[in-house]
Amino acid sequence: MTRHLITSALPYINGIKHLGNMVGSMLPADVYARYLRLRGHEVLYICATDEHGTPAELAAQEAGLPVAEFCARAHDRQRAVYEGFELSFDFFGRSSSPQNREITQEIARELHANGFIEERAIRQVYSVTDGRFLPDRYIVGTCPHCGYDRARGDQCENCTRVLDPTDLLEPRSAISGSSDLEVRETEHLFLLQSRLTDEVEAWIAATGDNWPVLASSIARKWLTEGLQDRSITRDLEWGVPVPADVWPELAAAGKVFYVWFDAPIEYIGATKEWADAAAAGEVRDWKSWWYEADDTVRYTEFMAKDNVPFHTVMFPATILGSRRPWKKVDYVKAFNWLTYYGGKFSTSQRLGVFTDVALELLPADYWRYFLMAHAPESDDSSFTWDLFASVVNKDLADTFGNFVNRVLSFSRKRFGDAVPAGGAAGEAEQRLGAQVAGLLAEYEGNLDALNFRKAARSLRALWSAGNAYLDEKAPWLQVRTDPEAAALTLRTAMNLIYLYAVVSEPFVPGAAKAVRASFALDRDAAAATPTWVDADRAGALDLVPAGTAFSVPPVLFAKITDEDLAAWTERFGGRPESA
């Protein structure tokens, strides 16, 4: 059976992430990982905080903390939020770990030995006002390609073009805003991507056709424009140091590797962190996933579109140039933007809803379902409070939650605290079973293909099938004249409820767990992860036998009221400019 290695783009350390960050990488990766585990696959889901670079140094300075302490605290804060969202990382590491330092330096040595890194004297921007060289990211100005006036010196967020600081029009320091900038000479290491172009092109030709158009088109756009040699060191105090055994002068000068050089390597580093954290007697072989991994390992990456160039070109070039058998990605699932009323969520500008505040408003399942049901897969999608309330109230509260509550409450009232028996399944139950089997197969197919919006629609259709059956059979009327028929209807509906509690787990794990706990089934008491129900078994509608004790869970999803909507719209704004 295939072993699935899953990574999501590393969230940067400077602040809590917004809902757009969540739906663009970590959440869909979690939905996929949970689904695969349910299907019985071996899964390793790895993520980490991306901790190096100028923003971390400046944020630490602003907080009055040493940068290492700042990053440790920020990592813990982010981890707590992700636990609140029930992200099921197998390990959530840190790019500042000794493991990442070791592997990054070793890969750099290999690239140098193979002739793919060279030292060059360059002229770099120096801020007289700030008294320091400015890394690319801390020079801002107008993009020469699209005219965006807040483009960074490394990349334009608007058009995703990779830039050099000298490309910017009207450049200024992002630290002080000063335009008193000079260009001075300094030494840096360059990754010679130009020499690896043919190899990257061949690899993408062999692999990229299987990727979504968004990912493959961005990768090919980079290749068409030509790979440029790229500086991979910076003048910073915080980062993976250049190894002194190869570059003693640069090491003495305090050079560190560029964050986009070491950050993707942290996928490997975090896996080694996972292995090193094994309990006594437990064996975790990190190399079986990454180094000389056999064909049973399938590697899937999740990221927003602005991260695609680094993951599909720069990181593969790094791995290819090392001449070591590191595992390369098999499938890149890229996402467009989730916007806030058509404008960008922004960490730096605190525009939109952030994940910590989201959990203060409502439990994670509300956000998980909405975000995946409106994931920006084929195009950008927009968050509005009206849309959010509509989806929560119709899909979660009415279609799923109310079905569970009214079936279990009515059955307990009429037949007691055990699943009633009733008679043999009739035509309506057979018809329902066939419908459920077909919808479940559709749901599986969409998740296998990583089509999350379609998967959410299939899941909603499964929930709706139960409601339609219940309305057709009307057990509240049957019980007056034919209690056996009412008992059959309720037993069938309870089997649907249990099925929902299993297959809904990837999207709404909290509610799914609560519903499973309502049934006294030994198989769930012994297993943290329930067993998937295949389409044929689901169609039989016999997962929960008559006589099984059950309880009625609390309300799974409370409706969002007009008062809630008004308060949140006022607090966060109904337009991006007022948020």
Side-chain angles (χ1 to χ4, degrees), residues 1 4 6 27-43 45 86 88 302 368 439-452 455 459 462 502-509 529-535:
M1 183 172 283
H4 287 270
I6 298 171
L27 181 54
D30 180 71
V31 170
Y32 188 53
R34 285 178 176 274
Y35 168 68
L36 291 173
R37 293 189 193 107
L38 284 168
R39 299 301 302 268
H41 291 278
E42 185 179 357
V43 174
Y45 176 22
E86 299 200 50
S88 58
F302 291 79
R368 289 177 62 104
L439 288 171
L440 181 57
E442 178 185 288
Y443 178 58
E444 292 172 350
N446 286 325
L447 283 175
D448 287 335
L450 284 77
N451 292 324
F452 293 105
L459 181 59
L462 271 170
V502 174
V503 302
S504 303
E505 162 93 9
F507 284 81
V508 286
T529 301
T531 302
W532 188 258
V533 182
D534 62 32

Side-chain angles (χ1 to χ4, degrees), residues 256-275:
V256 300
F257 285 109
Y258 176 38
V259 62
W260 263 112
F261 183 75
D262 82 85
I265 296 172
E266 168 59 7
Y267 296 135
I268 306 172
T271 309
K272 190 171 189 301
E273 291 177 64
W274 162 78

Side-chain angles (χ1 to χ4, degrees), residues 469-514:
Y469 169 76
L470 201 66
D471 291 341
E472 176 191 348
K473 297 298 291 286
W476 49 91
L477 298 178
Q478 289 178 316
V479 75
R480 300 175 186 173
T481 58
D482 190 348
E484 283 290 294
L488 167 62
T489 299
L490 292 169
R491 188 189 80 218
T492 302
M494 288 188 191
N495 272 276
L496 273 178
I497 287 171
Y498 182 80
L499 173 67
Y500 296 163
V502 174
V503 302
S504 303
E505 162 93 9
F507 284 81
V508 286
K513 183 178 180 180

Side-chain angles (χ1 to χ4, degrees), residues 364-387:
D365 282 349
Y366 292 70
W367 303 104
R368 289 177 62 104
Y369 178 79
F370 172 81
L371 291 171
M372 296 314 301
H374 292 271
E377 291 180 290
S378 59
D379 203 349
D380 292 351
S381 61
S382 182
F383 178 94
T384 71
W385 286 109
D386 287 330
L387 178 61

Side-chain angles (χ1 to χ4, degrees), residues 280-300:
E282 181 184 8
V283 177
R284 294 179 177 178
D285 184 3
W286 69 274
K287 284 191 174 181
S288 73
W289 294 93
W290 280 107
Y291 198 80
E292 295 182 332
D294 60 32
D295 292 339
T296 65
V297 176
R298 178 172 172 79
Y299 177 22
T300 306

